[in-house]
Amino acid sequence: MSRYFDEMNGKGEGLREPYARIQNWLKGLGPDQVHKALGDAEAIFRKQGITFAVYGSGEASERLIPFDIVPRVFAAQEWRRLSLGIEQRVRALNAFLHDIYHRQEIIRAGRIPREAIINNAAFVPEMMGLDPARGIYSHIIGIDIVRTGDNDFHVLEDNCRTPSGVSYMLEDREAMMYLFPQLFAQQRVAPVEHYPVMLRSTLESVAPPACKGEPVIVLLTPGIHNSAFFEHAFLADEMGVELCEGNDLFVSDGWLYMRTTQEPKKVDVVYRRIDDAYLDPLTFRPDSALGVPGIFDVYRAGRVTLVNAPGTGLADDKAIYSYIPDVVEFYTGERPLLKNVPTWRCAEADSLAYVLDHLAELVVKEVHGSGGYGMLVGPTSSKAEIEAFRAKLKANARNYIAQPTLALSTVPTFAAQGLAPRHVDLRPFVLSGDKIRITPGGLTRVALKEGSLVVNSSQGGGTKDTWVLED
Amino acid sequence: MQLTIKHITHYAYDTALDYSIQRLLLTPHSFASQSVKSWQVSAPGMAQAMQYRDAFGNKVHLITSNPGSGAYDIVAEGVVEVRDVAGVVQGLSVPVPDAVFLRQTAATLPSEPMEALLQGFGSAARAALPFLHELMAATHGAIAYETGTTHAHTTGAEAFAQGRGVCQDHAHVFIGLARKAGVPARYVTGYLVADDVSPAAHAWAEALVPDLGWVGFDAANLKCPTDHYVRVACGLDAAGTAPVRGCRRGGTGEHMSVEVRVEMSQQ
């Protein structure tokens, strides 16, 4: 019996139902066909221009994210259950943000220490008392979920700022439908292609009160040097909205405008993919050349909606993460349906002592890090790496949290030697506006290195198409 | 005391200005001990200004203009009646939970040598009011008032290290240490008429005293605000509370000067 839960074969007890047709298909797939499909897939992605930038690697900085042709499959029933947990969590995260930026009842109630919020770098005091349209702060959330068993799902991270990766989800599906149309004829797979339409509806539904008529929406990008620029251009194009850089927008007489070849056009909703700090030099970093001076003031006055709101990073902060089960209970009055990963806060002396004693078994992360940078994966690290990390951890303990290494589920994946189990996670994309819309499936990331548990594309991860079967 | 105030910020540029956007925190509130009898702000673009309240309840004007190459003035003026209540601020609504004023910013974050200052306080200083008076005296003693030694972006820790600075620096040091000691403290801007120097735009701190509420502490002058002080705006630090904060395109070689005139009359 395997130590890991394989989504096709369980823990060795045999084929799981959702993968029945996939297994048949794989049996009939010769090595030549596999080789050709992988080559075709790469050509498709190259043609689409889907690359991402890797920071800190010496060689070429633009890479293709490897794509694996074996889909990751959920049964309709499995997905329904998971969706309930996702929706509950997303509602709670938005309620939490509303509370923190108003009366801070959760602090008064003693459920989260004041210090964890007030001096948190992701807390934006300029947001206090502001009432965003429909009371929603994080309109687009990408929740990273890992599976450890048939019914065991854990949230690894709530990405509430500007989660990326949805373009890979869409392109993966398009590639699969092009390469293997017969698979989609054999069974009904819930469509994901309408994500841009859902996103647009969500953005329209949160137009500010000052907007009369059809809202004008733009996507604000930091520009071509951003690692996710391809996705910004892709989504703007798919939604039929303008892709803007900071210089394309300006504030005049208290309204936000976009430059056009004719008259300037008033803008109502800004889907911004610029970090809080760079959004507006008048309120945040004064040296930012990427943002729009005054855009925050116009937002504050209720004349434009920023998506996501500034300050939403508080809800996905790694120092806050361990409190999220309490957050869910506090705002929904229900037991959390999705589990957290047990987390040691290294800021607390007892926890730190435990973590230092068990570094070889744990994953240690920077509180404000992302993308898999600056973390220690104990079980796969050398003694020297662990000792080097120990010194860093001791020097600045409050900057770290630690978690057990989870037995992430695997899905069969084509490796050099043929089909082999590889660890995966899942990032479903959740939209909050007039209602909550969840993409069926999401982005499955796969750690392509044998035994690796790090799925980040910046650390050699790939992606898979994710299927939710329909009844 | 009735104070008639005229606060002029004068701008001139060597080359033409294409676009200018400015946020003005130049409008005082009325509260128990301060009554704004009349007040107005004039500036280019003021007729189309957007007005709103910021997170801390300050009255904000956002103006945009393209004044070209000409010089221009931003003028805030009016009449304010002030009573001496030993710096206690009552009847003023600042719409955030007090705990938000425990947040340290880059400008207020105490350095280790600053924190050492707190160690020297006697146990008598455990209660908030004596503690804050002692902190005000210590801050006053640690930084000699000397203009030209610090600038708008100097942090409290930097001013503390060199031992010289102006009212902004005194306020940052006081606020940073009060917050460190668990006392919510905020940065306040306004005007001061002193007997021995010309009237000026000024800055001081307010700290939360249990049972008393918010109380002003002017470490630069070693006293709590009197009826010679007019309170305009508050925030976490100087950058967030600047009377005028702006961005511009074009307009190299900016020359800015500030002039404050105050006439006093007993009621």
Side-chain angles (χ1 to χ4, degrees):
Chain A
M1 199 177 106
S2 163
R3 189 186 150 207
Y4 298 105
F5 175 76
D6 185 82
E7 299 197 7
M8 188 153 104
N9 299 307
K11 281 198 164 179
E13 63 267 16
L15 180 70
R16 292 179 67 251
E17 171 62 26
Y19 281 84
R21 286 205 164 85
I22 295 294
Q23 194 193 43
N24 276 337
W25 165 68
L26 286 172
K27 276 182 186 156
L29 214 53
D32 293 348
Q33 282 168 286
V34 172
H35 187 74
K36 181 173 183 310
L38 289 170
D40 286 353
E42 190 175 326
I44 292 170
F45 288 111
R46 209 170 279 288
K47 202 170 124 198
Q48 296 277 8
I50 308 185
T51 59
F52 76 107
V54 179
Y55 300 115
S57 68
E59 38 183 306
S61 68
E62 292 285 316
R63 279 195 214 156
L64 278 180
I65 296 189
F67 170 72
D68 182 71
I69 58 171
V70 184
R72 193 256 188 100
V73 189
F74 289 99
Q77 180 55 34
E78 282 179 314
W79 186 252
R80 266 195 295 274
R81 189 182 307 147
L82 194 54
S83 296
L84 288 176
I86 293 170
E87 178 160 349
Q88 180 196 49
R89 191 158 174 122
V90 163
R91 279 189 201 286
L93 291 170
N94 270 309
F96 169 60
L97 288 164
H98 188 274
D99 182 31
I100 289 302
Y101 291 119
H102 288 82
R103 291 179 48 80
Q104 304 187 335
E105 299 288 358
I106 196 163
I107 298 178
R108 290 167 208 246
R111 301 291 282 271
I112 293 191
R114 188 172 69 186
E115 183 60 19
I117 303 286
I118 296 299
N119 275 312
N120 191 308
F123 172 61
V124 176
E126 290 82 359
M127 285 294 295
M128 289 303 300
L130 187 150
D131 287 307
R134 294 185 189 273
I136 293 179
Y137 289 78
S138 198
H139 310 80
I140 299 141
I141 298 183
I143 297 190
D144 289 346
I145 296 175
V146 296
R147 183 175 202 174
T148 55
D150 209 6
N151 275 318
D152 292 316
F153 293 91
H154 301 261
V155 174
L156 209 53
E157 215 170 286
D158 302 285
N159 296 286
C160 299
R161 304 169 201 218
T162 52
S164 60
V166 78
S167 55
Y168 301 117
M169 173 190 85
L170 295 168
E171 294 294 340
D172 287 355
R173 174 59 54 85
E174 203 175 320
M176 278 305 282
M177 292 181 84
Y178 174 79
L179 294 171
F180 305 107
Q182 74 281 11
L183 284 177
F184 293 88
Q186 287 168 5
Q187 56 198 326
R188 287 172 48 199
V189 177
V192 295
E193 304 85 279
H194 56 297
Y195 177 82
V197 176
M198 298 196 324
L199 177 58
R200 195 185 162 120
S201 302
T202 300
L203 296 175
E204 282 175 352
S205 77
V206 293
C211 167
K212 312 286 176 228
E214 196 183 324
V216 174
I217 301 167
V218 299
L219 193 156
L220 176 60
T221 175
I224 56 166
H225 299 297
N226 185 270
S227 63
F229 178 74
F230 163 78
E231 179 162 300
H232 306 162
F234 174 90
L235 285 176
D237 188 47
E238 290 281 317
M239 284 194 289
V241 307
E242 293 296 330
L243 178 67
C244 295
E245 294 187 26
N247 283 332
D248 300 324
L249 301 176
F250 65 98
V251 170
S252 180
D253 297 341
W255 298 93
L256 180 68
Y257 292 93
M258 158 174 53
R259 291 176 217 285
T260 73
T261 50
Q262 285 111 33
E263 291 285 279
K265 197 169 178 183
K266 205 176 273 181
V267 175
D268 301 297
V269 180
V270 179
Y271 176 26
R272 52 98 182 193
R273 297 288 297 255
I274 292 184
D275 291 346
D276 289 356
Y278 296 94
L279 191 56
D280 181 351
L282 207 53
T283 293
F284 304 112
R285 279 183 67 146
D287 59 344
S288 169
L290 300 173
V292 185
I295 194 172
F296 187 79
D297 300 82
V298 178
Y299 175 55
R300 186 88 221 174
R303 294 179 175 187
V304 71
T305 296
L306 297 177
V307 172
N308 293 342
T312 53
L314 190 68
D316 69 29
D317 185 79
K318 291 190 181 72
I320 299 295
Y321 165 86
S322 59
Y323 298 99
I324 297 295
D326 280 334
V327 164
V328 171
E329 245 182 79
F330 189 78
Y331 297 106
T332 65
E334 301 162 5
R335 302 280 304 155
L337 300 171
L338 284 177
K339 280 178 274 197
N340 253 27
V341 181
T343 302
W344 288 274
R345 298 187 272 262
C346 299
E348 296 166 10
D350 290 357
S351 299
L352 177 63
Y354 178 88
V355 172
L356 288 170
D357 278 350
H358 295 83
L359 275 181
E361 302 154 29
L362 299 171
V363 176
V364 190
K365 299 176 181 173
E366 283 184 18
V367 169
H368 299 295
S370 68
Y373 295 97
M375 64 193 275
L376 173 81
V377 182
T380 59
S381 298
S382 69
K383 277 213 165 107
E385 284 168 332
I386 289 176
E387 290 316 307
F389 202 90
R390 184 189 305 277
K392 280 204 305 187
L393 175 57
K394 276 181 168 167
N396 191 7
R398 52 183 305 145
N399 195 36
Y400 295 93
I401 55 161
Q403 297 170 332
T405 44
L406 291 182
L408 261 58
S409 63
T410 57
V411 175
T413 299
F414 279 104
Q417 314 76 12
L419 213 52
R422 290 290 182 266
H423 297 289
V424 294
D425 82 347
L426 177 70
R427 177 177 291 183
F429 294 92
V430 190
L431 301 173
S432 300
D434 50 343
K435 57 181 177 181
I436 290 183
R437 300 167 166 95
I438 305 176
T439 54
L443 178 67
T444 291
R445 298 186 297 178
V446 53
L448 294 172
K449 259 190 283 177
E450 186 174 0
S452 170
L453 294 164
V454 184
V455 298
N456 303 73
S457 48
S458 52
Q459 311 287 317
T463 68
K464 284 172 170 290
D465 191 16
T466 310
W467 290 8
V468 172
L469 300 180
E470 296 189 318
D471 286 331
Chain B
M1 187 70 70
Q2 182 163 296
L3 305 174
T4 304
I5 296 164
K6 186 163 189 174
H7 172 196
I8 305 160
T9 312
H10 180 76
Y11 291 90
Y13 298 92
D14 292 344
T15 64
L17 201 56
D18 298 327
Y19 170 84
S20 158
I21 180 166
Q22 287 166 310
R23 173 163 59 221
L24 314 180
L25 269 68
L26 287 170
T27 308
H29 288 272
S30 290
F31 52 96
S33 57
Q34 172 172 305
S35 170
V36 181
K37 297 298 176 191
S38 66
W39 197 264
Q40 73 167 14
V41 179
S42 42
M46 202 61 196
Q48 296 81 35
M50 182 181 77
Q51 293 183 47
Y52 73 95
R53 300 286 180 119
D54 70 11
F56 306 111
N58 300 308
K59 294 178 186 171
V60 184
H61 292 94
L62 185 77
I63 55 172
T64 46
S65 59
N66 45 356
S69 54
Y72 69 96
D73 290 338
I74 296 174
V75 180
E77 57 188 326
V79 179
V80 182
E81 259 177 41
V82 192
R83 283 188 299 123
D84 186 353
V85 290
V88 179
V89 180
Q90 282 180 326
L92 177 70
S93 160
V94 174
V96 297
D98 294 330
V100 172
F101 291 108
L102 287 169
R103 181 175 176 84
Q104 300 284 10
T105 70
T108 66
L109 189 67
S111 57
E112 274 180 33
M114 270 171 75
E115 287 180 15
L117 201 66
L118 288 178
Q119 310 299 323
F121 291 6
S123 56
R126 287 290 152 78
L129 197 56
F131 163 73
L132 291 166
H133 278 283
E134 206 164 324
L135 178 58
M136 176 163 70
T139 306
H140 181 80
I143 300 176
Y145 192 93
E146 195 175 324
T147 55
T149 55
T150 53
H151 53 82
H153 305 294
T154 303
T155 67
E158 288 164 355
F160 185 88
Q162 66 176 32
R164 291 176 299 169
V166 295
C167 58
Q168 169 178 315
D169 307 303
H170 287 98
H172 280 155
V173 169
F174 178 92
I175 290 166
L177 290 174
R179 288 175 184 164
K180 175 70 190 176
V183 180
R186 59 199 189 197
Y187 189 94
V188 176
T189 60
Y191 305 103
L192 167 63
V193 198
D195 299 328
D196 46 349
V197 292
S198 48
H202 191 48
W204 60 96
E206 283 172 1
L208 188 63
V209 179
D211 303 327
L212 203 54
W214 288 91
V215 180
F217 291 90
D218 180 4
N221 292 298
L222 197 54
K223 62 177 165 185
C224 292
T226 63
D227 57 357
H228 287 53
Y229 288 70
V230 171
R231 185 193 190 281
V232 176
C234 75
L236 292 175
D237 60 15
T241 322
V244 181
R245 183 162 164 175
C247 292
R248 64 178 196 271
R249 264 201 321 277
T252 54
E254 183 181 78
H255 307 281
M256 190 198 68
S257 58
V258 178
E259 185 189 342
V260 178
R261 287 182 228 147
V262 182
E263 287 166 25
M264 286 195 290
S265 58
Q266 293 291 348
Q267 291 151 255

